Amino acid sequence: MSLPKGLADDVARNLVMVAQLIDEEPEKAYEYSRIALRLASRVAAVREAAGFAAYATQKYSEALAEFRAARRMTGSVELWPVMADCERGLGRPERALAMAGEPEVQKLDKAGQVEMRLVAAGARRDMGQLDAAIVTLQSPELASNANHPWTARLRYAYADALLAAGRDGEAREWFAKALEADKDGSTDASDRLAELDGVEFVDAFDDTDDVEEAADSDASDRESDEGDQDGIADGDKS
């Protein structure tokens, strides 16, 4: 609303492309975000989109700068967890942990607080503190039987930390719980469960190739036999 209509439309088109491409083609999403940023760097939504595009391409320093700019413009704390994760990406897990203890965390909604807990646990693991990471993830949200958008990821992170600590039995239990909550396939909990159970998957495409090769071989044999028969028939005629 702060831009002239023509410019606003151009910026909007680029932001739409960022949203459409960021999961599958993050580098292209990043390119569109840079165009939007050149057109409207004083719009908070543009700075936020540029931050997420940079984050998706592991340009953590750039992402952090954009997130900070967006936060200054809006005064919102909702980007606090992803800003802390940028600190992890920059090899500064201790800063991420410090951010987990700041007053801003108390202003986050439940989803944001769970996200902050995940980042803090990741920072603990970065620092080689596996037991502390496990304890960090132990929370009422983890124990709850309710299914929220963040439930599968929280359970998955807990299972992964348990597995890293050599607690395979507990890890399997929590991977199963993560899979139960993962309605949209946001984790690979099913693959991790199969791996723990020693299940090996056969590539169906390889089997198809084998069948096709066998069929081609049979067809060649038939053609050869037919050719032989034709030769015999010609010989009989002569």
Side-chain angles (χ1 to χ4, degrees), residues 131-155:
D131 290 341
I134 291 170
V135 171
T136 298
L137 293 168
Q138 291 171 346
S139 61
E141 293 80 18
L142 180 67
S144 173
N145 290 323
N147 197 0
H148 300 282
W150 37 261
T151 300
R153 292 178 57 242
L154 180 59
R155 292 177 180 179

Side-chain angles (χ1 to χ4, degrees), residues 2 18 31 33 38 51 79 86 93 107 129 141 181 206-207 228:
S2 64
V18 173
E31 292 172 8
S33 76
R38 287 197 297 272
L79 294 172
C86 286
K107 300 176 184 177
Q129 301 173 3
E141 293 80 18
D206 290 342
D207 289 345
D228 293 341

Side-chain angles (χ1 to χ4, degrees), residues 14-230:
N14 283 283
L15 294 185
V16 167
M17 294 306 297
V18 173
Q20 289 182 345
L21 295 171
I22 195 165
D23 291 329
E24 302 297 331
E25 300 181 82
E27 289 291 348
K28 287 187 178 180
Y30 176 77
E31 292 172 8
Y32 280 106
S33 76
R34 300 307 297 177
I35 295 172
L37 195 58
R38 287 197 297 272
L39 293 173
S41 61
R42 295 185 180 182
V43 176
V46 171
R47 304 303 289 266
E48 183 175 332
F52 277 111
Y55 179 80
T57 53
Q58 299 183 3
K59 298 176 175 65
Y60 297 117
S61 180
E62 188 175 319
L64 186 57
E66 298 300 341
F67 289 142
R68 284 173 174 166
R71 182 167 179 265
R72 284 195 302 270
M73 293 175 179
T74 64
S76 172
V77 298
E78 66 178 9
L79 294 172
W80 196 253
V82 72
M83 289 169 63
D85 207 38
C86 286
E87 295 287 6
R88 284 186 62 210
L90 290 167
R92 303 191 292 239
E94 68 286 347
R95 292 195 185 183
L97 280 178
M99 290 179 69
E102 293 292 332
E104 283 82 354
V105 177
Q106 303 306 314
K107 300 176 184 177
L108 294 168
D109 60 14
K110 181 60 68 177
Q113 290 180 7
V114 170
E115 195 66 35
M116 192 70 243
R117 190 177 291 275
L118 288 168
V119 173
R124 290 289 187 188
R125 291 188 64 171
D126 293 343
M127 299 168 71
Q129 301 173 3
L130 263 178
D131 290 341
I134 291 170
V135 171
T136 298
L137 293 168
Q138 291 171 346
S139 61
E141 293 80 18
L142 180 67
S144 173
N145 290 323
N147 197 0
H148 300 282
W150 37 261
T151 300
R153 292 178 57 242
L154 180 59
R155 292 177 180 179
Y156 183 94
Y158 188 59
D160 194 48
L162 289 169
L163 187 61
R167 295 159 62 174
D168 294 16
E170 293 172 85
R172 192 199 180 286
E173 175 187 351
W174 282 96
F175 277 128
K177 289 182 178 181
L179 179 60
E180 180 183 318
D182 194 0
K183 304 302 182 185
D184 57 359
S186 61
T187 73
D188 64 347
S190 60
D191 293 340
R192 302 298 297 276
L193 270 174
E195 184 179 335
L196 284 171
D197 291 340
V199 176
E200 294 185 8
F201 294 100
V202 177
D203 191 339
F205 289 104
D206 290 342
D207 289 345
T208 302
D209 291 342
D210 291 341
V211 171
E212 290 176 351
E213 288 175 7
D216 290 342
S217 178
D218 289 343
S220 297
D221 291 342
R222 285 196 300 273
E223 289 174 2
S224 177
D225 290 343
E226 290 171 359
D228 293 341
Q229 292 298 324
D230 290 342

